[in-house]
């Protein structure tokens, strides 16, 4: 089964440390999304890419967050420096524009900043 | 105002009941519409697409009203296994397809 793969699955880090989350989209998908989910906010769209180009990162705190796609098989989300309020589940999802716009999620990266 | 709004619930229903969820969206240029299901501590998964003509998949029926910017999901003969959070999803064409999720409606089906 083709699936979106995210690493790490779980991460506990100290405030001020850099955190990098990685995502391998489904092969052939040209659109990649990063979401953050907390109990209070639900699923927030942080950023998304089409053909590796960033289309919208308006949901992302710019001072500490950055998202990139170094190549078609890898998307990264970096937080530097991390803060306790960044504790959340970060989901990556991918899809292919033109096939009904359905997206498929990875299992998420569970981040705790202490 | 949120782009996609849902009643958070929770909805507590007995097995066998029929339950309906509603969702409204604010962008009239929205293109595609879906319902996703999310189990506790799991990733969201596609439940079904939503069309103006209506879409039925077994016990699940989804409907879109573009004029009212309103999406619905009906679950008939509820099962214990239907207990989950149901997420209303809308896409907007912004060069790609910006995919926006509602906060979800929590459903508990009781024996």
């Amino acid at each position: 089964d083709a699936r979106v793969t995210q690493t790490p699955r779980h991460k506990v880090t100290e405030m001020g440390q850099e955190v990098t989350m990685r995502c391998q989209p489904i092969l052939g998908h040209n659109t990649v999304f990063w979401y953050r989910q907390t109990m209070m906010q639900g699923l927030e769209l942080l950023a998304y890419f089409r053909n590796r180009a960033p289309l919208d990162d308006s949901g992302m705190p710019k001072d500490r967050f950055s998202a990139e796609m170094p190549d078609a098989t890898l998307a990264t989300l970096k937080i530097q420096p991390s803060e306790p309020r960044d504790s959340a589940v970060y989901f990556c999802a991918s899809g292919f524009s033109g096939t009904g716009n359905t997206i498929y999620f990875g299992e998420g990266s569970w981040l705790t900043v202490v | 105002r949120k782009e996609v709004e849902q009643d958070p619930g929770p909805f507590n229903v007995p097995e066998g009941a029929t339950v309906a969820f509603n969702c409204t969206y604010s962008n009239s240029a929205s293109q595609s519409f879906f319902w996703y299901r999310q189990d506790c501590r799991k990733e969201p998964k596609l439940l079904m697409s939503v069309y103006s003509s209506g879409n039925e998949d077994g016990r699940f029926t989804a409907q879109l009203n573009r004029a009212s910017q309103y999406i619905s999901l009906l679950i008939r003969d509820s099962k214990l296994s239907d207990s989950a959070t149901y997420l209303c999803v809308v896409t907007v064409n912004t060069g790609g397809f910006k995919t926006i999720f509602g906060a979800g409606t929590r459903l508990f089906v009781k024996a």
Side-chain angles (χ1 to χ4, degrees):
Chain A
D1 270 349
R3 59 176 61 187
V4 176
T5 303
Q6 290 187 246
T7 57
R9 289 294 320 282
H10 299 272
K11 175 80 174 179
V12 180
T13 191
E14 291 185 345
M15 183 172 61
Q17 296 298 305
E18 177 179 300
V19 176
T20 299
M21 289 168 275
R22 294 177 173 82
C23 168
Q24 180 175 10
I26 292 172
L27 187 65
H29 281 185
N30 65 351
T31 308
V32 176
F33 302 80
W34 282 107
Y35 293 89
R36 175 171 65 183
Q37 187 173 39
T38 62
M39 288 294 292
M40 298 303 294
Q41 296 294 331
L43 265 170
E44 300 174 87
L45 178 62
L46 297 176
Y48 79 109
F49 297 78
R50 182 170 185 252
N51 296 327
R52 296 176 56 200
L55 287 190
D56 188 338
D57 61 2
S58 58
M60 200 165 66
K62 300 293 190 302
D63 56 339
R64 299 182 299 107
F65 284 61
S66 61
E68 296 179 343
M69 278 201 75
D71 61 60
T73 65
L74 177 64
T76 62
L77 179 66
K78 187 176 295 186
I79 308 174
Q80 168 63 19
S82 57
E83 298 181 1
R85 60 181 166 150
D86 301 329
S87 298
V89 185
Y90 291 82
F91 286 107
C92 176
S94 72
F96 186 80
S97 57
T99 58
N101 296 342
T102 305
I103 66 173
Y104 300 88
F105 282 79
E107 293 180 301
S109 291
W110 295 70
L111 174 66
T112 302
V113 183
V114 298
Chain B
R1 182 186 173 189
K2 290 186 176 180
E3 293 183 83
V4 180
E5 298 213 52
Q6 296 181 248
D7 179 348
F11 285 60
N12 293 287
V13 303
E15 272 188 295
T18 295
V19 60
F21 303 139
N22 303 317
C23 164
T24 58
Y25 60 95
S26 61
N27 190 333
S28 59
S30 298
Q31 286 185 299
S32 304
F33 308 87
F34 307 92
W35 285 99
Y36 276 65
R37 169 191 169 131
Q38 186 173 25
D39 293 294
C40 190
R41 301 183 68 80
K42 297 288 189 180
E43 74 275 21
K45 294 184 178 177
L46 176 67
L47 179 65
M48 59 196 307
S49 302
V50 189
Y51 308 111
S52 298
S53 56
N55 188 21
E56 186 172 316
D57 182 3
R59 298 180 292 107
F60 298 82
T61 301
Q63 189 75 49
L64 166 66
N65 184 322
R66 282 189 180 270
S68 302
Q69 295 181 200
Y70 173 92
I71 305 163
S72 64
L73 176 68
L74 184 75
I75 306 175
R76 291 180 298 278
D77 189 23
S78 301
K79 311 291 184 191
L80 294 176
S81 58
D82 294 334
S83 298
T85 298
Y86 291 83
L87 301 163
C88 178
V89 185
V90 167
T91 72
V92 180
N93 188 346
T94 56
F97 55 103
K98 183 176 180 180
T99 304
I100 304 160
F101 284 73
T105 299
R106 195 77 191 272
L107 171 66
F108 293 99
V109 181
K110 305 168 294 185

